[in-house]
Amino acid sequence: MRTSPLPFVRRVEQALADPVLRRNMAVGTSRQRTHRLEAMAALPGADALRNHASRIRAHTLARLDEYLEQFVAAVRARGGTVHWAATAAEAASIVTTIAVGERARLVVKSKSMVTEEIGLNAALEAAGVTAIETDLGEFVIQLAGQHPSHIVAPIMHMSKEQVGALFVERLGATPEEVVDVAAMTAFARRVLRERFLEAAVGVSGVNFGVASTGTLCLVTNEGNGRLCTSLPRVHVAVMGIERLVPTLDDLGVMLDVLARSATGQALTVYTNLVTGPRREDDADGPEALHVVLVDNGRSRVLGSELAEILYCIRCGACLGACPVYDTVGGHAYGSVYPGPVGAVATPALDGLGPWTELPHASSLCGACRDACPVRLDIPRLLLLLRRQTVEAGGSPVWLRLALRAHAALAVRPRLYRLAVRLAGRVLAVGARDGYIERLPGPLAAWTASRSFRLPARRTFLDEVARERRKVSP
Ligand code: SF4
């Protein structure tokens, strides 16, 4: 789950000090926002559809055990094999064992966040199996030795010039092959096509599993997903247990909101429905289909007050809407799941202990909630996590003492007013033109990047008292 050994503050500082990253993020998120808003505005009854999608998610999760049983039975009835993985390590081990058993030296992968979550590529490499990412963005990320910085646009943080330089340095591309985006895409396609033909195993994620039919739905904008799931002899689909919908009709509702929220498209270029491995009368398709159902904390989350985070359909709309994500990019979060959804999903799945800062990486403006196609109330979940952090003693000592002092003053009005007046006078000593350039101690973090406005000479209560005196002399 963790993508960086650096502490959160350090990662944020690095991001803020990188002007190229900030420019790339500003362009990428603004484009995503505009496309989403236009697509949603053009969809008749969009709000009602989002409510419907939210109800489907709530209903599915309330009866997840039943739908999982139904899904597993349907996958098996159509010739697929189902594996249960309680942890990330178990899931990675199941996929690795299948690949090794198939004597695969090469595995081709289509884009999948859950395989990032379980650290699949590292596990395959450790077993001597090379994993090749075939989604263009993921391919670039793999070449760069990084992690995706966005759920649906893994290289949002990079410019096309940076990608071109990487192709020249790592793959020996010529200047003509990186002259523009079309040339770079054609170059990557030439490199990758060979790999599809060599691989014995294709690994994919799953956008939605349909409980009634055992169908796996994969949405992509590149043909790579279809090649990964149909060309190699064996297809391994890795899926979080929450990614179910009851029926194909429910899937239709989800598809109506997913692409519009993610990229602003009415539908992604490819919507693949995989129901079992190749049948006798099929012209192509894999000989075997394995579905790996990953729990990795989801059952625990389902029984907790954070269960709503499992509604998420990984569209990435909340990332583009978030002013924090927009400013620092995805790598600053230090988790495979960045942005507002990651600030909840990461501590929910992995435990709050190593992730106490993430629930604070939000202004609580509510833009993520407004953007979410399944009406996930992320600010409410962030506040729950902040409360849990405080209850676990995870907030800094100085903050706890300061809040205790404030609580003591807040119930003693005279003392409170006196303290406010005194604080104003003390702060005024170091002020210039109504602003304080440097605050002391931990408060210096505030003035590191902006000035602190000096409190007004007359407080709000002074003004209220004065107005009252005017009304009733
Ligand atoms: S929380 Fe909502 S907006 Fe964010 S990725 Fe999930 S479904 Fe999309």
Side-chain angles (χ1 to χ4, degrees):
M1 192 78 83
R2 185 171 280 284
T3 59
S4 166
L6 295 176
F8 177 69
V9 172
R10 201 61 208 98
R11 296 193 301 266
V12 169
E13 282 170 357
Q14 273 183 354
L16 293 176
D18 184 341
V20 178
L21 169 85
R22 297 192 63 183
R23 193 183 58 233
N24 294 343
M25 291 310 302
V27 171
T29 52
S30 133
R31 191 181 297 144
Q32 190 196 8
R33 272 194 304 274
T34 307
H35 289 171
R36 175 177 58 79
L37 290 170
E38 285 173 359
M40 280 300 184
L43 177 67
D47 277 345
L49 203 64
R50 289 169 67 191
N51 292 342
H52 190 49
S54 180
R55 280 195 298 272
I56 292 172
R57 294 303 293 141
H59 167 84
T60 310
L61 291 169
R63 295 172 58 184
L64 189 60
D65 51 345
E66 288 171 42
Y67 285 123
L68 276 170
E69 274 181 29
Q70 205 182 339
F71 175 72
V72 168
V75 170
R76 287 182 177 148
R78 282 155 185 82
T81 306
V82 177
H83 308 259
W84 294 91
T87 62
E90 215 174 297
S93 158
I94 291 167
V95 182
T96 306
T97 305
I98 294 169
V100 170
E102 294 292 333
R103 300 185 193 288
R105 289 208 306 273
L106 183 74
V107 161
V108 282
K109 284 184 67 205
S110 72
K111 186 176 168 347
S112 152
M113 290 309 296
V114 73
T115 59
E116 291 282 337
E117 176 189 327
I118 65 174
L120 181 60
N121 288 9
L124 286 168
E125 295 291 346
V129 182
T130 303
I132 300 282
E133 297 288 351
T134 63
D135 169 271
L136 181 58
E138 293 281 345
F139 176 66
V140 171
I141 281 292
Q142 190 176 30
L143 272 184
Q146 299 179 5
H147 290 273
S149 67
H150 189 283
I151 291 175
V152 295
I155 51 171
M156 184 177 273
H157 62 291
M158 294 176 84
S159 64
K160 61 180 187 297
E161 290 76 21
Q162 288 173 315
V163 174
L166 191 70
F167 280 5
V168 171
E169 183 198 327
R170 301 296 308 277
L171 299 173
T174 63
E176 293 73 40
E177 284 169 325
V178 296
V179 72
D180 57 22
V181 172
M184 285 189 267
T185 308
F187 173 75
R189 180 182 291 142
R190 281 196 296 280
V191 173
L192 285 169
R193 282 289 150 112
E194 304 273 317
R195 303 308 176 96
F196 286 114
L197 297 171
E198 287 170 42
V201 173
V203 174
S204 75
V206 178
N207 290 92
F208 299 103
V210 182
S212 60
T213 59
T215 301
L216 311 175
C217 175
L218 281 79
V219 298
T220 66
N221 276 320
E222 301 164 26
N224 69 306
R226 197 163 280 188
L227 289 170
C228 279
T229 57
S230 57
L231 213 50
R233 272 189 296 110
V234 177
H235 171 201
V236 183
V238 187
M239 171 179 162
I241 57 169
E242 84 283 16
R243 306 305 297 271
L244 286 182
V245 286
T247 65
L248 287 167
D249 282 346
D250 297 323
L251 175 65
V253 176
M254 292 302 162
L255 294 179
D256 269 342
V257 293
L258 176 61
R260 286 181 170 90
S261 306
T263 53
Q265 294 163 284
L267 201 61
T268 44
V269 177
Y270 298 92
T271 301
N272 302 323
L273 299 179
V274 177
T275 309
R278 175 202 294 212
R279 274 156 287 207
E280 274 181 16
D281 53 346
D282 282 342
D284 52 25
E287 292 162 17
L289 167 69
H290 295 266
V291 180
V292 182
L293 289 168
V294 181
D295 187 317
N296 199 32
R298 287 162 175 79
S299 301
R300 182 175 36 75
V301 174
L302 189 59
S304 77
E305 43 187 355
L306 297 169
E308 194 184 335
I309 193 62
L310 299 176
Y311 286 21
C312 176
I313 57 172
R314 306 281 190 265
C315 71
C318 56
L319 278 67
C322 176
V324 175
Y325 177 85
D326 179 275
T327 307
V328 298
H331 290 154
Y333 292 78
S335 160
V336 295
Y337 295 117
V341 62
V344 177
T346 305
L349 293 175
D350 199 33
L352 188 54
W355 302 105
T356 48
E357 300 106 332
L358 283 193
H360 296 271
S362 167
S363 64
L364 298 180
C365 64
C368 49
R369 182 181 47 214
D370 293 346
C372 180
V374 291
R375 307 275 191 210
L376 215 160
D377 190 351
I378 295 179
R380 183 182 72 82
L381 300 180
L382 288 168
L383 285 172
L384 270 173
L385 283 163
R386 289 185 188 185
R387 193 194 74 205
Q388 288 178 9
T389 307
V390 171
E391 284 170 358
S395 49
V397 176
W398 67 267
L399 182 60
R400 270 182 277 157
L401 290 176
L403 288 175
R404 238 178 259 165
H406 182 269
L409 287 173
V411 292
R412 295 172 178 83
R414 282 193 187 160
L415 206 53
Y416 180 83
R417 281 198 282 273
L418 182 66
V420 167
R421 266 183 235 288
L422 277 177
R425 289 205 183 134
V426 170
L427 287 169
V429 173
R432 264 194 15 220
D433 300 331
Y435 285 93
I436 299 155
E437 301 298 331
R438 277 186 70 169
L439 284 169
L443 299 177
W446 178 272
T447 46
S449 55
R450 54 203 163 324
S451 302
F452 184 79
R453 186 89 163 93
L454 197 62
R457 287 180 69 82
R458 293 180 60 78
T459 68
F460 175 70
L461 289 175
D462 290 339
E463 290 299 324
V464 171
R466 186 165 70 172
E467 289 304 314
R468 278 201 183 131
R469 277 198 299 277
K470 273 195 218 162
V471 175
S472 51

